[in-house]
Amino acid sequence: MLAFALKTLFCDRSKALAGSLGVAFSLILMSIQGGLYLGLMQKASVLIDYCRADLWVGQRFVDNVDLARGIPEIWLNRLRGVPGVADVRPYLVGKGTATLDGGRMEDVWIIGVDVETGAGGPWRFAQGSMADLRRPFGISFDTVDRVKLGEPKLGEWMEVNGLRARVVAQTDGITGFITMPYLFTNFNEAQRLARSPEGECSYLLIRAEPNCDLDQLRDVLQRRVPHAAVFKPEEFAARSQEYWMKRTGIGISFGASTLLGLLVGLTVVAQSLYALALDHLEEYAALKALGADDGHVIRIIAAQSLTIAGCGSCLGLLCVAAIRALWHNPLAPVEIPLWLMAAAVVTVFAICLLASLLPFWRIRRIDPATVLMG
Amino acid sequence: MDDVITVTNLCKSYAVGVTRSMVLRDVSFSVKRGECLFLVGHSGSGKTTLLSILGCVLSADSGAVEMLGERVTEFSPAEQASFRRHRIGFVFQRYHLFEALNALENVKVPLDLLGAEPAKARRRALELLARVDLADKARRRVTQLSMGQRQRVAIARALAADPDIVLADEPTASLDKTAGWNALETLKTLCREEGKTAIVVTHDDRILPLADRVLTLADGGLMEEPGGDEPPSSAPVKLKSPRRKSIAEGEAGES
Ligand SMILES: Nc1ncnc2c1ncn2[C@@H]1O[C@H](COP(=O)(O)OP(=O)(O)OP(=O)(O)O)[C@@H](O)[C@H]1O
Ligand SMILES: [Mg+2]
């Protein structure tokens, strides 16, 4: 039956091609939409993902890394010396307003990092380095925010929250979910620029001893600072992402456009298979007269639709791979992991099987008597 | 010899507007194993209707058809399909071959429907193609075959799944005299060799000599005619190549 299914499918290449293109389109759309979504979500937790801390200690009700709340820096002493803790460093995520040429204002994040260990520091420099951030008044800006910040140059002065700061480094593609520029600096400078109260920081970043059980350590630390929240990085990242997902409904809009892509794919495949079946109604009638039952028919159509799914998937995956390799935009990163591609392939296969119900329904209605009775 | 097909008081009518037109009225007859029965009658007399009921693709209004010991008139559609698959081979007037497939694959289809082992199915199909003189055309797409060759592929296909009964509706209608004769002679030979029962509906007087028995349908009922030269059991019809040749020569002589 496979020969009948496939040869019938490929004797009309235009329909096979149309179906495959529909599948490829669905698959590409799903991967890109999913990839954009994941990219955006990753931006919501970018500070956490690259910070290399083993545990995060923050204010009890903090639910987003960017929207930090103050905690006493002094808690540091409660955590140092706990067995399993190798190091604790304060980290500041503060808000500021940069005043640009001509009096234009731009809201910015001021990120105070520990320059000694580099904890929480920027991870991609276009110019300058972590060492430059030690310099008094020294701040970095990011390539993607160049225009927003009035094209600053290294060595120039900037006004942040009415205080002077000096551009000493340029990071490369570090941007968050709401795309407010991240200005990195050393912890003390950040406290000054953000005008944060004396003795307050946003987070304490814990580095654990090697081979230490992080779950256990988290519980121990949590007991030490009951008024704080202790997170593993992946927990805090998920929490930060969820915050934006719930607040913005972004999941719904991505989901809706993905669904639309699926529907288009479904329609194209169903239409191609249906047209193919219509072209061969007489042959199906003959097949039924020869004794084919619903099971045979469904196997034939399923073979055809899975073949279309396979061809379309190959085509689509090639395009997705090309996009993955060629697309670089830190503002709209496309993050397409292998599991996403696999999920997209599985989905288009399911869609194709679903689409085969339409021709099946048509062929089911054929009366084999028509072969004899005309 | 035992009866393979027994038809008793078969009635069939079609709805025509608000009335019904009776096509088969109390038709009864039986067919013996190995018999080659021809069904003739003027156009519209119900030959195809009768053949369709025997082929389990059409239901009767009343009466009974028993085939190979089974009351097929009481079958569900699924049972009908299964019966067709296992027991019946069809040769259609317009062949109804599968155009995307080659001759070999066409012949294999009924075996595939039965889920036969591919290698075995291939062997059987090739053997049948050889017996209808198409061994060298096995890989040809059927659209590249002549009408007579196509009908021979259809005949091979009808026999592929080793059915007990072969039903043919006007198998020679689209063929010229020689090709028609050859095709039907091939069908008859194969049925004879493999012990199949054949029912052939035809308009074609030229092939009547090949019949063991001829039934005529008229006014919804049946009449028996003294059809073939020999009764089925007395002497097997000798239908090897030499005989076929002589007939072809005979034709040439006639015209
Ligand atoms: N689906 C149908 N609906 C109504 N009437 C039908 C239907 N099918 C066949 N008939 C009628 O039934 C009668 C018998 O038809 P059938 O096809 O069996 O005749 P036939 O002997 O095979 O004719 P032919 O030699 O022309 O093929 C015809 O009068 C035809 O018009
Ligand atoms: Mg007819």
Side-chain angles (χ1 to χ4, degrees):
Chain A
M1 288 302 49
L2 202 61
F4 175 78
L6 298 188
K7 289 204 167 178
T8 304
L9 174 63
F10 285 117
C11 76
D12 187 351
R13 298 214 177 81
S14 64
K15 293 195 181 70
L17 187 69
S20 303
L21 287 179
V23 170
F25 170 80
S26 265
L27 190 124
I28 293 169
L29 201 85
M30 236 185 307
S31 307
I32 300 291
Q33 287 291 323
L36 277 169
Y37 175 76
L38 290 180
L40 256 179
M41 281 298 119
Q42 220 170 57
K43 288 195 340 184
S45 62
V46 72
L47 289 182
I48 307 167
D49 297 340
Y50 284 97
C51 161
R52 295 175 303 266
D54 293 320
L55 289 171
W56 284 68
V57 179
Q59 200 259 0
R60 191 156 29 137
F61 299 111
V62 69
D63 41 23
N64 184 299
V65 64
D66 290 332
L67 306 176
R69 314 240 177 267
I71 56 171
E73 205 183 321
I74 199 85
W75 284 356
L76 196 138
N77 294 330
R78 298 202 210 162
L79 304 176
R80 273 197 182 133
V82 172
V85 172
D87 197 10
V88 187
R89 299 285 161 159
Y91 188 56
L92 191 90
V93 178
K95 275 197 273 286
T97 304
T99 309
L100 310 174
D101 280 351
R104 200 163 60 81
M105 312 259 212
E106 186 72 38
D107 286 333
V108 295
W109 299 116
I110 300 155
I111 313 291
V113 308
D114 184 75
V115 281
E116 251 168 75
T117 58
W123 52 93
R124 266 198 306 265
F125 284 95
Q127 299 185 75
S129 67
M130 190 68 94
D132 292 315
L133 295 182
R134 288 167 186 256
R135 288 155 62 177
F137 309 110
I139 56 165
S140 72
F141 75 101
D142 194 89
T143 312
V144 299
D145 302 318
R146 219 166 48 91
V147 176
K148 242 188 268 179
L149 295 174
E151 314 215 357
K153 305 213 166 31
L154 252 53
E156 277 183 4
W157 290 90
M158 248 166 87
E159 186 187 323
V160 179
N161 280 346
L163 301 167
R164 272 153 61 82
R166 195 165 179 208
V167 178
V168 294
Q170 182 181 343
T171 56
D172 191 23
I174 299 177
T175 178
F177 185 81
I178 50 175
T179 65
M180 249 160 73
Y182 282 132
L183 307 185
F184 287 90
T185 178
N186 62 68
F187 182 76
N188 294 333
E189 191 59 46
Q191 266 192 327
R192 185 182 73 91
L193 286 176
R195 293 181 185 277
S196 88
E198 191 69 24
E200 221 182 77
C201 65
S202 309
Y203 304 99
L204 293 169
L205 304 183
I206 315 281
R207 199 157 52 75
E209 300 281 7
N211 304 328
C212 163
D213 181 343
L214 288 180
D215 288 298
Q216 231 168 19
L217 184 60
R218 181 194 48 196
D219 296 343
V220 172
L221 296 186
Q222 184 67 74
R223 280 197 290 277
R224 285 288 178 103
V225 281
H227 295 290
V230 186
F231 301 110
K232 290 205 287 183
E234 59 272 22
E235 291 167 348
F236 195 28
R239 201 180 170 102
S240 295
Q241 294 177 356
E242 200 184 302
Y243 176 85
W244 288 122
M245 197 173 71
K246 285 198 173 145
R247 293 285 170 114
T248 58
I250 198 168
I252 297 171
S253 59
F254 273 98
S257 48
T258 307
L259 204 68
L260 212 65
L262 281 183
L263 277 180
V264 172
L266 177 70
T267 314
V268 174
V269 176
Q271 156 66 26
S272 310
L273 286 172
Y274 187 66
L276 189 70
L278 286 187
D279 285 351
H280 296 273
L281 282 186
E282 270 193 37
E283 295 195 349
Y284 280 109
L287 211 55
K288 288 177 92 163
L290 296 184
D293 56 21
D294 286 351
H296 294 104
V297 173
I298 224 164
R299 265 174 280 162
I300 289 169
I301 302 178
Q304 290 177 340
S305 80
L306 292 180
T307 305
I308 287 182
C311 295
S313 294
C314 290
L315 195 67
L317 286 176
L318 277 179
C319 294
V320 170
I323 291 166
R324 238 161 69 117
L326 299 176
W327 180 272
H328 291 293
N329 182 346
L331 284 176
V334 179
E335 200 53 50
I336 308 176
L338 284 179
W339 67 258
L340 178 63
M341 296 214 261
V345 170
V346 170
T347 312
V348 294
F349 269 77
I351 285 288
C352 285
L353 282 181
L354 191 66
S356 61
L357 289 179
L358 183 68
F360 172 66
W361 163 81
R362 180 64 190 85
I363 293 167
R364 234 192 106 108
R365 282 172 39 220
I366 300 175
D367 183 356
T370 55
V371 181
L372 288 157
M373 310 290 286
Chain B
M1 230 188 271
D2 52 337
D3 288 344
V4 201
I5 303 174
T6 315
V7 177
T8 331
N9 298 332
L10 191 69
C11 295
K12 175 72 187 176
S13 62
Y14 290 107
V16 181
V18 286
T19 60
R20 294 190 77 81
S21 88
M22 202 72 173
V23 178
L24 300 177
R25 194 175 290 125
D26 278 333
V27 171
S28 302
F29 66 99
S30 57
V31 187
K32 293 197 186 317
R33 183 175 297 280
E35 202 173 4
C36 181
L37 177 77
F38 275 39
L39 209 53
V40 298
H42 63 84
S43 179
S45 56
K47 303 181 295 293
T48 301
T49 303
L50 180 55
L51 199 75
S52 300
I53 294 172
L54 295 178
C56 296
V57 289
L58 191 69
S59 315
D61 294 347
S62 64
V65 176
E66 202 164 296
M67 294 168 88
L68 304 156
E70 300 204 62
R71 191 57 84 83
V72 300
T73 30
E74 283 163 18
F75 275 171
S76 69
E79 289 170 324
Q80 288 181 331
S82 167
F83 191 80
R84 291 199 297 272
R85 213 158 49 232
H86 289 94
R87 305 296 210 164
I88 297 179
F90 277 109
V91 181
F92 307 111
Q93 177 177 349
R94 285 182 297 121
Y95 325 136
H96 285 286
L97 295 174
F98 304 107
E99 295 199 343
L101 304 185
N102 62 30
L104 175 68
E105 289 160 340
N106 262 286
V107 177
K108 266 180 65 194
V109 165
L111 290 158
D112 293 342
L113 286 174
L114 286 177
E117 197 185 298
K120 268 194 197 150
R122 233 180 73 90
R123 228 175 302 130
R124 167 80 174 154
L126 280 173
E127 174 209 322
L128 278 167
L129 279 174
R131 284 164 71 183
V132 297
D133 263 347
L134 286 174
D136 53 333
K137 307 270 189 308
R139 312 257 163 221
R140 280 266 185 99
R141 257 180 83 166
V142 289
T143 44
Q144 296 165 343
L145 296 178
S146 76
M147 293 300 158
Q149 290 168 335
R150 285 185 209 194
Q151 191 59 304
R152 279 186 281 149
V153 173
I155 288 166
R157 181 178 72 179
L159 285 145
D162 199 19
D164 299 274
I165 298 162
V166 176
L167 303 177
D169 193 12
E170 317 224 14
T172 60
S174 324
L175 303 177
D176 66 28
K177 187 174 177 180
T178 323
W181 180 277
N182 285 347
L184 214 76
E185 191 186 39
T186 308
L187 176 67
K188 177 154 187 183
T189 312
L190 282 177
C191 287
R192 175 59 48 92
E193 285 170 6
E194 302 216 343
K196 318 276 183 233
T197 307
I199 299 184
V200 179
V201 163
T202 188
H203 265 131
D204 192 351
D205 292 342
R206 302 168 300 189
I207 58 170
L208 285 184
L210 288 167
D212 293 334
R213 184 153 67 105
V214 179
L215 289 183
T216 308
L217 258 181
D219 303 323
L222 273 181
M223 294 183 313
E224 186 146 353
E225 277 186 12
D229 318 325
E230 312 116 356
S233 46
S234 59
V237 190
K238 303 178 290 290
L239 287 174
K240 300 289 170 200
S241 323
R243 166 90 185 266
R244 191 186 304 164
K245 207 168 143 201
S246 72
I247 287 163
E249 284 161 9
E251 278 162 20
E254 276 166 45
S255 51

